[in-house]
Structures are given as structure tokens and as C-alpha cells.
Amino acid sequence: MEIRTFPDPVLRKLATKVDNITDEIVRFSENMLETMIAAHGAGLAANQVGAPMQLIIIDASLTEQKKHLAILNPFIVEADMEEVGEEGCLSLPGYYEFVKRASKVLARGIDLSGKTLEFECQGQFARAMQHEIDHLNGVLFIDHLSPVKKNIFKKKYAGPAK
Ligand code: ZN
């Protein structure tokens, strides 16, 4: 799959809820997982591969069970504490910046079998969960930067390497 990069407008679309878990959705999430692994990403939202639906993938290394996650219709139930950490994004290749996020979040969503799941996330897992859910709302991590840093981004970001 092709990973869409800033300023592709699909990255600003509000993702729609997934009501029906079809075989197509399951295959799509498998393709997203392969795409994320090939790109060495820690997470991927469906918007980033051009499909604005509420589906995110999170890399196994960040999770408590060390299993890759595919979560449909995820949202943050509770967020607590704050922490500044460095972030990057497959849709903003080569650009990294420090972003303030909640350091503990409770997230809810459903898995590919339709089961409701809850995740108590901390640290990098919490950061990735917030980052990917942001994507579903058309939000990129650069939106969380101060005006000064946003200006630096505009000057420095060259787009994907050709
Ligand atoms: Zn991202």
C-alpha cells in the first residue's frame, strides 16, 4: 500500500466508523500491518493509506502482550498525566519533534471479530494510541506544536524523499 504523506488531503479527513466487519476489512487491516512493518512504523491509521475509516494498527513492540493490534472505532475514554516525548509519523517522513501527550490513557475499540476491547496504555503505547486516534480525526502531530515550532516545520519539511 502507498503511504500518503503531508499535505495529502486524505490526512485531514474525518474517518468514518466501521459498522460491518467484512472480509475486505480484515484483508485491508492485514495489508496495513504489512505496510507498517515494511515502513518500520510503530503505528498506522487507515487515513494514511488513503481510506478514511476508523481502523488503526499498533506495533506489537509497544503493547503489553507483544502482539500487533488492529483496532476498529477506537477512542480515548480517559487521559491522565502529561509527558513530553519525541514523535515521528510515516506521513511526515524525516521530521521529528517533541510533543506533549497524556502519559496514561484508557482507550476502547473493537477487534476484527467485533469484540469490545479496552486498553490501559502508558508511555510509548499511550503516545502511539493518541497519535493514531488523532489521525482518524484528521489531526497530525504537527498540529500540537507551538506556533514557533510550526513555523520551523514549514521551513524544514521537504516532503518525502524522491
Ligand atoms: Zn502518524
Side-chain angles (χ1 to χ4, degrees):
M1 288 168 142
E2 186 205 341
I3 296 176
R4 307 298 185 87
T5 52
F6 179 82
D8 190 313
V10 75
L11 297 172
R12 294 304 192 183
K13 289 244 166 87
L14 269 185
T16 52
K17 256 193 161 167
V18 178
D19 292 322
N20 249 326
I21 306 166
T22 58
D23 291 348
E24 201 187 349
I25 300 255
V26 173
R27 270 196 306 274
F28 195 88
S29 84
E30 287 164 0
N31 280 336
M32 276 178 65
L33 175 63
E34 281 172 25
T35 304
M36 180 194 77
I37 291 170
H40 306 289
L44 190 67
N47 304 39
Q48 293 179 275
V49 289
M53 61 175 162
Q54 293 185 19
L55 166 60
I56 62 170
I57 308 288
I58 294 194
D59 188 68
S61 64
L62 301 180
T63 70
E64 288 129 54
Q65 268 112 34
K66 302 297 167 202
K67 270 185 170 162
H68 295 300
L69 297 177
I71 314 169
L72 297 160
N73 308 336
F75 63 98
I76 305 286
V77 181
E78 275 173 39
D80 196 19
M81 323 272 273
E82 277 184 340
E83 187 172 76
V84 174
E86 196 174 42
E87 276 181 43
C89 178
L90 294 175
S91 294
L92 293 154
Y95 190 76
Y96 300 88
E97 192 46 88
F98 289 87
V99 181
K100 193 193 275 178
R101 300 266 189 195
S103 58
K104 283 175 72 176
V105 299
L106 176 66
R108 200 176 286 154
I110 57 176
D111 69 10
L112 292 168
S113 65
K115 204 170 103 195
T116 299
L117 301 174
E118 262 192 7
F119 303 93
E120 282 185 44
C121 321
Q122 294 194 33
Q124 287 299 108
F125 186 24
R127 182 166 295 278
M129 189 67 84
Q130 292 167 86
H131 179 118
E132 299 313 327
I133 291 174
D134 266 1
H135 273 300
L136 303 182
N137 294 309
V139 173
L140 297 171
F141 83 84
I142 48 172
D143 301 337
H144 295 290
L145 303 178
S146 67
V148 172
K149 282 187 175 169
K150 271 184 194 148
N151 270 326
I152 295 171
F153 165 76
K154 280 180 200 150
K155 287 186 190 129
K156 270 172 67 177
Y157 182 69
K162 292 270 153 54

